Short mmCIF file of all heavy atoms in Angstrom, two decimals:
data_model
loop_
_atom_site.label_atom_id
_atom_site.label_comp_id
_atom_site.label_asym_id
_atom_site.label_seq_id
_atom_site.Cartn_x
_atom_site.Cartn_y
_atom_site.Cartn_z
N PHE A 1005 109.73 93.06 91.22
CA PHE A 1005 109.38 91.75 90.68
C PHE A 1005 110.48 91.26 89.74
O PHE A 1005 110.85 90.09 89.74
CB PHE A 1005 108.04 91.84 89.94
CG PHE A 1005 107.49 90.52 89.54
CD1 PHE A 1005 106.76 89.76 90.42
CD2 PHE A 1005 107.69 90.02 88.26
CE1 PHE A 1005 106.23 88.54 90.06
CE2 PHE A 1005 107.18 88.81 87.89
CZ PHE A 1005 106.45 88.06 88.78
N GLY A 1006 111.02 92.18 88.95
CA GLY A 1006 112.10 91.84 88.03
C GLY A 1006 113.38 91.45 88.74
O GLY A 1006 114.19 90.71 88.19
N TRP A 1007 113.58 91.95 89.95
CA TRP A 1007 114.76 91.56 90.72
C TRP A 1007 114.54 90.23 91.45
O TRP A 1007 115.46 89.42 91.57
CB TRP A 1007 115.10 92.63 91.76
CG TRP A 1007 115.79 93.81 91.17
CD1 TRP A 1007 115.23 95.01 90.85
CD2 TRP A 1007 117.16 93.90 90.79
NE1 TRP A 1007 116.17 95.83 90.31
CE2 TRP A 1007 117.36 95.18 90.26
CE3 TRP A 1007 118.23 93.01 90.84
CZ2 TRP A 1007 118.60 95.60 89.80
CZ3 TRP A 1007 119.45 93.42 90.38
CH2 TRP A 1007 119.64 94.70 89.86
N PHE A 1008 113.34 90.03 91.97
CA PHE A 1008 113.07 88.83 92.76
C PHE A 1008 112.96 87.57 91.90
O PHE A 1008 113.31 86.48 92.36
CB PHE A 1008 111.80 88.99 93.58
CG PHE A 1008 111.93 89.94 94.73
CD1 PHE A 1008 110.81 90.54 95.26
CD2 PHE A 1008 113.15 90.22 95.29
CE1 PHE A 1008 110.92 91.41 96.33
CE2 PHE A 1008 113.27 91.09 96.34
CZ PHE A 1008 112.15 91.69 96.86
N LEU A 1009 112.47 87.70 90.70
CA LEU A 1009 112.25 86.53 89.85
C LEU A 1009 113.55 85.79 89.51
O LEU A 1009 113.62 84.57 89.67
CB LEU A 1009 111.48 86.91 88.60
CG LEU A 1009 110.99 85.75 87.75
CD1 LEU A 1009 110.05 84.88 88.55
CD2 LEU A 1009 110.31 86.27 86.51
N PRO A 1010 114.62 86.46 89.06
CA PRO A 1010 115.86 85.72 88.80
C PRO A 1010 116.46 85.09 90.06
O PRO A 1010 117.04 84.00 89.99
CB PRO A 1010 116.81 86.77 88.23
CG PRO A 1010 115.98 87.89 87.82
CD PRO A 1010 114.73 87.85 88.63
N ILE A 1011 116.29 85.76 91.20
CA ILE A 1011 116.78 85.18 92.45
C ILE A 1011 116.02 83.90 92.77
O ILE A 1011 116.59 82.89 93.16
CB ILE A 1011 116.67 86.20 93.60
CG1 ILE A 1011 117.57 87.40 93.33
CG2 ILE A 1011 117.00 85.57 94.93
CD1 ILE A 1011 117.34 88.56 94.27
N LYS A 1012 114.71 83.95 92.57
CA LYS A 1012 113.87 82.79 92.84
C LYS A 1012 114.21 81.63 91.90
O LYS A 1012 114.28 80.47 92.32
CB LYS A 1012 112.41 83.20 92.69
CG LYS A 1012 111.43 82.18 93.15
CD LYS A 1012 110.03 82.77 93.06
CE LYS A 1012 109.04 81.67 92.97
NZ LYS A 1012 107.73 82.10 92.59
N VAL A 1013 114.43 81.93 90.64
CA VAL A 1013 114.79 80.89 89.67
C VAL A 1013 116.15 80.30 90.02
O VAL A 1013 116.36 79.08 89.94
CB VAL A 1013 114.78 81.46 88.24
CG1 VAL A 1013 115.36 80.49 87.24
CG2 VAL A 1013 113.36 81.84 87.85
N THR A 1014 117.09 81.14 90.44
CA THR A 1014 118.41 80.65 90.86
C THR A 1014 118.29 79.72 92.06
O THR A 1014 118.95 78.67 92.10
CB THR A 1014 119.34 81.83 91.18
OG1 THR A 1014 119.42 82.68 90.04
CG2 THR A 1014 120.72 81.36 91.57
N LEU A 1015 117.46 80.08 93.01
CA LEU A 1015 117.25 79.20 94.16
C LEU A 1015 116.64 77.88 93.74
O LEU A 1015 117.00 76.81 94.26
CB LEU A 1015 116.34 79.88 95.20
CG LEU A 1015 116.96 81.01 96.01
CD1 LEU A 1015 115.91 81.65 96.90
CD2 LEU A 1015 118.11 80.51 96.84
N ALA A 1016 115.71 77.91 92.78
CA ALA A 1016 115.08 76.67 92.31
C ALA A 1016 116.11 75.76 91.64
O ALA A 1016 116.12 74.55 91.86
CB ALA A 1016 113.94 77.00 91.34
N PHE A 1017 116.98 76.33 90.83
CA PHE A 1017 118.00 75.50 90.18
C PHE A 1017 119.06 75.03 91.18
O PHE A 1017 119.67 73.98 90.99
CB PHE A 1017 118.64 76.23 89.01
CG PHE A 1017 117.79 76.19 87.78
CD1 PHE A 1017 117.23 77.35 87.26
CD2 PHE A 1017 117.52 74.99 87.15
CE1 PHE A 1017 116.43 77.31 86.14
CE2 PHE A 1017 116.72 74.94 86.02
CZ PHE A 1017 116.17 76.11 85.51
N THR A 1018 119.27 75.80 92.25
CA THR A 1018 120.18 75.35 93.30
C THR A 1018 119.60 74.13 94.01
O THR A 1018 120.34 73.19 94.35
CB THR A 1018 120.43 76.49 94.30
OG1 THR A 1018 120.92 77.62 93.59
CG2 THR A 1018 121.45 76.08 95.35
N VAL A 1019 118.28 74.12 94.24
CA VAL A 1019 117.63 72.94 94.82
C VAL A 1019 117.84 71.74 93.91
O VAL A 1019 118.15 70.63 94.38
CB VAL A 1019 116.12 73.20 95.06
CG1 VAL A 1019 115.39 71.93 95.43
CG2 VAL A 1019 115.94 74.24 96.16
N LEU A 1020 117.68 71.94 92.62
CA LEU A 1020 117.91 70.85 91.67
C LEU A 1020 119.35 70.35 91.76
O LEU A 1020 119.60 69.14 91.77
CB LEU A 1020 117.60 71.30 90.25
CG LEU A 1020 117.83 70.26 89.15
CD1 LEU A 1020 116.87 69.09 89.32
CD2 LEU A 1020 117.67 70.90 87.79
N GLY A 1021 120.31 71.26 91.86
CA GLY A 1021 121.71 70.87 92.00
C GLY A 1021 121.99 70.10 93.27
O GLY A 1021 122.76 69.14 93.26
N VAL A 1022 121.36 70.50 94.35
CA VAL A 1022 121.53 69.78 95.62
C VAL A 1022 120.99 68.36 95.49
O VAL A 1022 121.61 67.39 95.95
CB VAL A 1022 120.84 70.54 96.77
CG1 VAL A 1022 120.74 69.68 98.02
CG2 VAL A 1022 121.58 71.82 97.08
N PHE A 1023 119.83 68.21 94.83
CA PHE A 1023 119.27 66.87 94.66
C PHE A 1023 120.11 66.01 93.72
O PHE A 1023 120.28 64.81 93.96
CB PHE A 1023 117.83 66.94 94.15
CG PHE A 1023 116.85 67.02 95.26
CD1 PHE A 1023 116.09 68.15 95.43
CD2 PHE A 1023 116.69 65.97 96.13
CE1 PHE A 1023 115.18 68.23 96.46
CE2 PHE A 1023 115.78 66.04 97.17
CZ PHE A 1023 115.03 67.18 97.33
N VAL A 1024 120.65 66.59 92.68
CA VAL A 1024 121.51 65.82 91.78
C VAL A 1024 122.77 65.38 92.52
O VAL A 1024 123.21 64.23 92.39
CB VAL A 1024 121.87 66.65 90.52
CG1 VAL A 1024 122.99 66.02 89.74
CG2 VAL A 1024 120.64 66.84 89.66
N ASN A 1025 123.32 66.27 93.32
CA ASN A 1025 124.50 65.93 94.11
C ASN A 1025 124.19 64.82 95.11
O ASN A 1025 124.98 63.89 95.29
CB ASN A 1025 125.00 67.18 94.84
CG ASN A 1025 126.32 66.98 95.51
OD1 ASN A 1025 126.95 65.93 95.37
ND2 ASN A 1025 126.77 67.97 96.24
N ALA A 1026 123.03 64.91 95.77
CA ALA A 1026 122.64 63.87 96.73
C ALA A 1026 122.39 62.54 96.03
O ALA A 1026 122.78 61.48 96.55
CB ALA A 1026 121.40 64.31 97.50
N ALA A 1027 121.77 62.57 94.88
CA ALA A 1027 121.53 61.32 94.13
C ALA A 1027 122.85 60.69 93.70
O ALA A 1027 123.03 59.47 93.77
CB ALA A 1027 120.65 61.59 92.93
N TRP A 1028 123.78 61.51 93.25
CA TRP A 1028 125.09 61.01 92.84
C TRP A 1028 125.82 60.40 94.03
O TRP A 1028 126.43 59.32 93.91
CB TRP A 1028 125.91 62.14 92.23
CG TRP A 1028 127.23 61.69 91.72
CD1 TRP A 1028 128.43 61.83 92.33
CD2 TRP A 1028 127.48 60.99 90.51
NE1 TRP A 1028 129.42 61.29 91.57
CE2 TRP A 1028 128.85 60.76 90.44
CE3 TRP A 1028 126.67 60.54 89.48
CZ2 TRP A 1028 129.45 60.09 89.38
CZ3 TRP A 1028 127.27 59.90 88.42
CH2 TRP A 1028 128.64 59.67 88.38
N ALA A 1029 125.77 61.07 95.17
CA ALA A 1029 126.43 60.53 96.37
C ALA A 1029 125.77 59.23 96.81
O ALA A 1029 126.46 58.31 97.27
CB ALA A 1029 126.39 61.56 97.49
N GLY A 1030 124.46 59.14 96.67
CA GLY A 1030 123.77 57.91 97.03
C GLY A 1030 124.13 56.75 96.13
O GLY A 1030 124.28 55.61 96.58
N LEU A 1031 124.28 57.04 94.84
CA LEU A 1031 124.66 55.98 93.90
C LEU A 1031 126.10 55.51 94.09
O LEU A 1031 126.40 54.34 93.89
CB LEU A 1031 124.47 56.47 92.45
CG LEU A 1031 123.02 56.62 91.99
CD1 LEU A 1031 122.99 57.24 90.61
CD2 LEU A 1031 122.32 55.27 91.99
N CYS A 1032 126.95 56.43 94.48
CA CYS A 1032 128.36 56.08 94.69
C CYS A 1032 128.63 55.51 96.08
O CYS A 1032 129.76 55.13 96.38
CB CYS A 1032 129.24 57.30 94.47
SG CYS A 1032 129.24 57.88 92.78
N GLY A 1033 127.62 55.50 96.93
CA GLY A 1033 127.81 54.95 98.27
C GLY A 1033 128.45 55.91 99.24
O GLY A 1033 128.96 55.50 100.29
N ARG A 1034 128.46 57.19 98.94
CA ARG A 1034 129.07 58.18 99.82
C ARG A 1034 128.05 58.97 100.64
O ARG A 1034 128.39 59.95 101.27
CB ARG A 1034 129.90 59.17 99.00
CG ARG A 1034 131.11 58.52 98.37
CD ARG A 1034 131.92 59.54 97.63
NE ARG A 1034 131.15 59.95 96.44
CZ ARG A 1034 131.31 61.09 95.81
NH1 ARG A 1034 132.19 61.94 96.21
NH2 ARG A 1034 130.59 61.38 94.76
N MET A 1035 126.79 58.53 100.63
CA MET A 1035 125.74 59.24 101.36
C MET A 1035 125.71 58.75 102.80
O MET A 1035 125.21 57.67 103.10
CB MET A 1035 124.38 59.02 100.70
CG MET A 1035 123.24 59.74 101.39
SD MET A 1035 123.41 61.51 101.43
CE MET A 1035 122.79 61.92 99.82
N SER A 1036 126.26 59.56 103.67
CA SER A 1036 126.24 59.23 105.10
C SER A 1036 125.04 59.89 105.75
O SER A 1036 124.33 60.69 105.13
CB SER A 1036 127.53 59.71 105.76
OG SER A 1036 127.60 61.12 105.71
N VAL A 1037 124.81 59.59 107.00
CA VAL A 1037 123.71 60.18 107.73
C VAL A 1037 123.92 61.69 107.87
O VAL A 1037 122.98 62.48 107.70
CB VAL A 1037 123.55 59.52 109.11
CG1 VAL A 1037 122.51 60.22 109.95
CG2 VAL A 1037 123.23 58.05 108.95
N CYS A 1038 125.15 62.08 108.13
CA CYS A 1038 125.46 63.50 108.27
C CYS A 1038 125.22 64.25 106.96
O CYS A 1038 124.64 65.33 106.95
CB CYS A 1038 126.91 63.66 108.72
SG CYS A 1038 127.40 65.37 108.99
#
Side-chain angles (χ1 to χ4, degrees):
F1005 189 84
W1007 282 101
F1008 288 157
L1009 190 61
I1011 296 170
K1012 189 175 158 193
V1013 170
T1014 303
L1015 287 175
F1017 281 114
T1018 304
V1019 170
L1020 179 65
V1022 168
F1023 271 114
V1024 167
N1025 189 5
W1028 183 259
L1031 288 174
C1032 293
R1034 293 183 290 157
M1035 181 61 83
S1036 65
V1037 174
C1038 182

